[in-house]
Amino acid sequence: MHLAVGMIFLSQTVVGILGNFFLLYHSLFLYHTKSKLRCIDLILKHMFIANSLLLLTKGLPQTMVAFGWKHSFNDFVCKLILYVERVGRGVSICTICLLSVFQSILISPMNSCWKDLKIKAPKYIGLCICFFWFQHMAVNSIFPLHLLYVSGNLHSRNITKKREMGYCSLVDQGTILGSVYLALVTFPETTFSVLMVFSSGSMTFTLYRHKQRVRHIHKTNVFSGSAESRATKSIVLLVGTFLSFYSMSSIFMICIALFPEVNWWLMCISDIISVCFPTISPFLVMNQDASTYNLCFFWLRNTHFFIRSK
């Protein structure tokens, strides 16, 4: 059973890293060739970076544990892995929310209440992304102050709670910083999730209303086949997929937090679900972006030709 779990984590990590790195390379390629990135491309680039950090710090250690390398991490490495994982998770949520809200503003009618933001919003995208990285790096820097992560035997006298995380053990010191940290993490995540729901609903309503307006036109696919429509549908699909996996992961995390002595299978399922979105998200983007899709096949075809020529 451990081997099967290890293969699942390994497959998710390898596939997710390849997908996110490929689209990250594609974004850098566009930047160097066109010397300019769309705001959406800039947001997606940081989402791919955050997803890659989450895969490397969540999928890779769990793969090592499943294959029997359980005691390969010391205190410092455990703290570093969990710190980077938390930062990656937080930035991933923020960038998806920013992507959804920005696209909702972008496709809103000119006579809507968002008309002023349609012009101003692109100017603040870079600033918002920098703020997200700084916020989560700062907030998560207090994480090791109230929690101690170890990989071997525990020698702390002030242990109130202990939970095995697979590759490390989590020890709650019971300080007030734990409650403060929980509030600083859960409140923004909940707020961003609600914003994603509202912005996705707004985009869906805008697409539907536009479709109703152009129904009398013979070429009814004028808007549905446009670049804006494809990008909007892609973002709605991306947000819907994220919220589905995030909701399931949150339920499992609450159960694990309430019951420290949880079943090993429950923790495995929770970890597998938590890395599902970073694994499949680049392929959702790739499926909707024709240029990326064609570039992928062009790269694969050239690689195949090169191998055959050798």
Side-chain angles (χ1 to χ4, degrees):
M1 291 298 179
H2 286 268
L3 180 62
V5 172
M7 291 303 298
I8 293 174
F9 278 119
L10 181 62
S11 300
Q12 286 181 310
T13 304
V14 172
V15 172
I17 289 295
L18 288 176
N20 283 283
F21 270 58
F22 173 78
L23 289 182
L24 184 59
Y25 166 78
H26 178 63
S27 299
L28 295 174
F29 176 78
L30 287 178
Y31 177 77
H32 285 292
T33 54
K34 298 182 179 180
S35 298
K36 187 177 181 181
L37 280 177
R38 297 177 303 170
C39 292
I40 291 179
D41 292 329
L42 180 62
I43 300 172
L44 286 173
K45 181 175 73 171
H46 285 270
M47 187 188 76
F48 298 144
I49 294 173
N51 286 347
S52 298
L53 292 178
L54 190 56
L55 284 165
L56 288 172
T57 55
K58 193 74 171 180
L60 191 59
Q62 294 294 355
T63 303
M64 296 175 67
V65 171
F67 284 129
W69 299 323
K70 187 175 181 179
H71 302 289
S72 302
F73 306 99
N74 56 29
D75 281 4
F76 174 76
V77 175
C78 285
K79 290 179 181 179
L80 181 63
I81 289 175
L82 287 163
Y83 173 77
V84 175
E85 176 198 332
R86 300 284 177 167
V87 172
R89 173 186 166 91
V91 175
S92 178
I93 295 172
C94 291
T95 49
I96 296 167
C97 179
L98 179 63
L99 185 67
S100 178
V101 172
F102 175 75
Q103 186 66 16
S104 178
I105 295 172
L106 196 64
I107 67 170
S108 61
M110 290 302 297
N111 58 353
S112 68
C113 58
W114 304 111
K115 59 182 180 180
D116 294 332
L117 282 176
K118 286 173 71 75
I119 301 174
K120 297 179 181 179
K123 301 177 182 178
Y124 299 103
I125 294 297
L127 183 64
C128 288
I129 294 174
C130 291
F131 173 75
F132 291 151
W133 281 104
F134 175 78
Q135 174 198 359
H136 287 283
M137 291 175 69
V139 168
N140 285 280
S141 64
I142 69 172
F143 199 38
L145 296 181
H146 72 280
L147 293 174
L148 176 67
Y149 301 97
V150 296
S151 57
N153 296 324
L154 301 177
H155 301 285
S156 177
R157 296 180 180 178
N158 299 320
I159 294 173
T160 57
K161 290 182 181 180
K162 173 190 172 183
R163 186 167 70 247
E164 292 291 336
M165 303 294 290
Y167 54 92
C168 295
S169 298
L170 182 150
V171 180
D172 192 348
Q173 299 281 1
T175 63
I176 194 173
L177 283 178
S179 301
V180 174
Y181 173 79
L182 188 64
L184 289 174
V185 171
T186 56
F187 179 74
E189 287 188 1
T190 305
T191 303
F192 288 138
S193 299
V194 172
L195 282 174
M196 279 187 263
V197 172
F198 277 105
S199 59
S200 298
S202 174
M203 286 188 286
T204 304
F205 177 73
T206 301
L207 289 175
Y208 175 77
R209 186 171 59 180
H210 188 87
K211 185 178 180 180
Q212 294 297 317
R213 288 178 179 175
V214 301
R215 178 173 288 180
H216 63 282
I217 303 176
H218 294 294
K219 293 183 179 180
T220 56
N221 62 345
V222 170
F223 182 77
S224 61
S226 67
E228 274 191 4
S229 175
R230 288 197 303 271
T232 303
K233 291 176 181 178
S234 175
I235 293 170
V236 170
L237 177 62
L238 201 67
V239 171
T241 305
F242 170 79
L243 289 175
S244 299
F245 285 119
Y246 178 75
S247 300
M248 289 189 291
S249 176
S250 297
I251 293 172
F252 277 102
M253 290 177 67
I254 291 172
C255 293
I256 293 172
L258 293 176
F259 307 101
E261 301 298 330
V262 295
N263 187 277
W264 179 77
W265 282 105
L266 186 63
M267 296 192 64
C268 286
I269 295 172
S270 175
D271 291 336
I272 289 171
I273 292 174
S274 65
V275 294
C276 278
F277 177 77
T279 301
I280 67 174
S281 58
F283 300 98
L284 294 177
V285 175
M286 209 179 296
N287 186 46
Q288 297 294 326
D289 193 339
S291 62
T292 306
Y293 191 70
N294 293 332
L295 180 61
C296 178
F297 272 94
F298 177 75
W299 178 76
L300 290 174
R301 186 180 62 183
N302 285 353
T303 305
H304 180 65
F305 175 77
F306 176 74
I307 294 173
R308 290 186 61 183
S309 63
K310 290 183 67 176

